[in-house]
Amino acid sequence: AAFQRPVSAREVALKNCKSRTQSPPEDDLVALTRREIEATDPAVLDDAEQLLADPALIDRISADIEAAGVAGEEDLRLTLYMIGTSRLLRRPLAGIVQGQSSSGKSYTIERVAAMFPKESVIHATQMTPQALFHAQAGSLSHRWVVAGERSRIDNDDKAEATRALREMLAAGRLSKMMPVKLGGEIKTVMIEQPGPIAFVESTTAARIFEEDANRCILLSTDERRGQTKTILRRLALYVSGKVAPPAVDVLARHHALQRLLERRDVVIPYAEALAAELELYADRCECRRAFPMILSMIQASTLLHQRQRATNDNGSLIAGPADYELTARLLSGPLGRTLGENLSDPARRFLDRVIAEVDAPTDPLPVPFTASAVRHRLQAGRSTVSGFLAELEDKGYLEYAETAPSGRGRPPKAWRPTDRADDGGDVLPPCRIVFRDPPSGSGSAEMA
């Protein structure tokens, strides 16, 4: 037999890029990726290939994100990484990170986004209503749009900006008839902007416009005392020289890893069994948007593990139990707010603090209590307290209470706790339930 030279990771990657350019795509990402792979150190590509083939891939990604500067926030940082990876799917994921000011929302997003190739991420700290329409054609397709802080201003311009975003997230493309000056004349032309995009933004608001919220995974920062102590200790270790700053090779490895990922078809053989289990929430219309999020997260995990997943006769990747297990871990909490009546983690901790003040052995918080009384007791900001009180009332953990008028004007709104207990249960069934009777057939394919 003739001697065959081992094929390097660079050659495999370039071959994949070449095959993908035989039919011109709508975007320029393939060509950009090819050029970047050609300029990448072969040793870095080999390192990325080894990581993609590692059975402990998820744990290693989480460790690398920590090495890149994110202390704690294990599930949040991993969910953000999966949202970024989902940009290669036909239906990418979108997320909104909620949290108080200084809780690390923007920093966590920034550090995770830094692990993705520059050509795959669009940093848009501010977007005007027409920004998405007038971007260069194809420049948004299969990109991860990392927005800044969500505006708390609620007006027509902001509603228009998020309307275009909603259309891109739902349909995967934009189209709009607009007047344009051509040759000295004003003519109406059709402007089209192909997608799709993955998307993430942050906000301090506890309440988000419903049409935007139900298209996104609602995530929360960890605002507990223990997380603050973890951050303080990590910063102290950095400045004391006992822990090295984030290594450049960590970022380079993940840039190469993401460039090596191919867009592949993904099938989920257990999708029917999962749909049957989620019929429990069929009376809630939100389930119609939550289920595609679940499927996209499973597909994103399968795509990330493409070196480790089997394929069917059509060459499509087959999602395995591990992909659902990761999805259940990351989405059960956030979707508990959408499909069930679970509280967000920050709201649950806020309620615990309020109840502790009400039950204090000395100088308890009077019931019913007003927002100003709660702000004074907890030393919290006005918007933070107002948002949590609204969520607790919406979910039935607080109820409106009449107060006696004092002086002129209407009496301030007040609340009292109800007897409702927060079970905090997972809305996604465990693996043993989903896989106890696998459905026949290979499921329906979705282009990744």
Side-chain angles (χ1 to χ4, degrees), residues 27 96 98 131 169 176 202 216 223 342 371-372 424 429-430 440:
D27 62 87
I96 299 176
Q98 297 174 282
L169 294 177
K176 187 174 186 178
S202 62
C216 299
E223 299 162 5
N342 295 354
S372 60
S440 60

Side-chain angles (χ1 to χ4, degrees), residues 150-228:
R150 184 182 184 88
S151 175
R152 300 182 68 91
I153 300 174
D154 188 12
N155 57 30
D156 291 342
D157 282 345
K158 294 300 179 183
E160 179 66 13
T162 59
R163 188 194 67 80
L165 176 63
R166 290 194 299 274
E167 182 180 341
M168 178 64 88
L169 294 177
R173 62 188 308 112
L174 291 173
S175 59
K176 187 174 186 178
M177 301 288 288
M178 298 184 68
V180 177
K181 189 173 183 178
L182 297 173
E185 297 182 32
I186 301 297
K187 297 185 178 180
T188 299
V189 299
M190 174 69 76
I191 294 182
E192 295 186 302
Q193 185 62 259
I197 63 169
F199 178 81
V200 69
E201 68 178 353
S202 62
T203 182
T204 57
R207 305 188 77 174
I208 300 170
F209 181 48
E210 187 175 356
E211 285 297 311
D212 292 342
N214 60 24
R215 285 175 169 84
C216 299
I217 304 170
L218 298 182
L219 305 166
S220 301
T221 52
D222 187 348
E223 299 162 5
R224 291 174 294 181
R225 175 182 177 86
Q227 172 64 10
T228 301

Side-chain angles (χ1 to χ4, degrees), residues 296-431:
S296 291
M297 182 65 82
I298 294 172
Q299 290 176 324
S301 175
T302 308
L303 195 69
L304 184 61
H305 290 86
Q306 59 185 242
R307 303 293 194 276
Q308 307 177 43
R309 295 294 180 261
T311 58
N312 63 12
D313 293 339
N314 296 324
S316 301
L317 296 168
I318 302 175
D323 300 308
Y324 174 72
E325 187 174 13
L326 177 63
T327 297
R329 167 189 163 186
L330 298 180
L331 293 189
S332 276
L335 292 185
R337 302 169 59 185
T338 304
L339 298 180
E341 293 295 332
N342 295 354
L343 294 173
S344 64
D345 288 339
R348 184 181 298 110
R349 292 191 287 270
F350 178 86
L351 177 61
D352 290 341
R353 293 176 64 191
V354 171
I355 296 300
E357 290 295 332
V358 170
D359 295 337
T362 59
D363 190 24
L365 178 66
V367 177
F369 46 78
T370 63
S372 60
V374 174
R375 289 199 306 270
H376 176 74
R377 285 299 188 103
L378 303 185
Q379 296 295 300
R382 180 185 299 273
S383 61
T384 298
V385 170
S386 298
F388 284 147
L389 290 175
E391 179 178 348
L392 292 171
E393 183 180 4
D394 288 344
K395 298 289 187 179
Y397 294 90
L398 296 179
E399 62 182 5
Y400 175 73
E402 294 285 347
T403 55
S406 57
R408 296 181 178 179
R410 299 170 58 185
K413 187 173 182 178
W415 296 265
R416 65 165 60 92
T418 65
D419 295 331
R420 178 168 188 176
D422 179 28
D423 55 15
D426 293 336
V427 297
L428 297 186
C431 279

Side-chain angles (χ1 to χ4, degrees), residues 57-70 77-78 115 250 253-254:
L57 174 59
I58 294 300
D59 291 337
R60 289 191 59 186
I61 288 174
S62 184
D64 280 352
I65 299 174
E66 183 173 16
V70 181
R77 68 196 189 197
L78 193 53
M115 303 184 73
V250 170
R253 176 166 61 245
H254 282 271

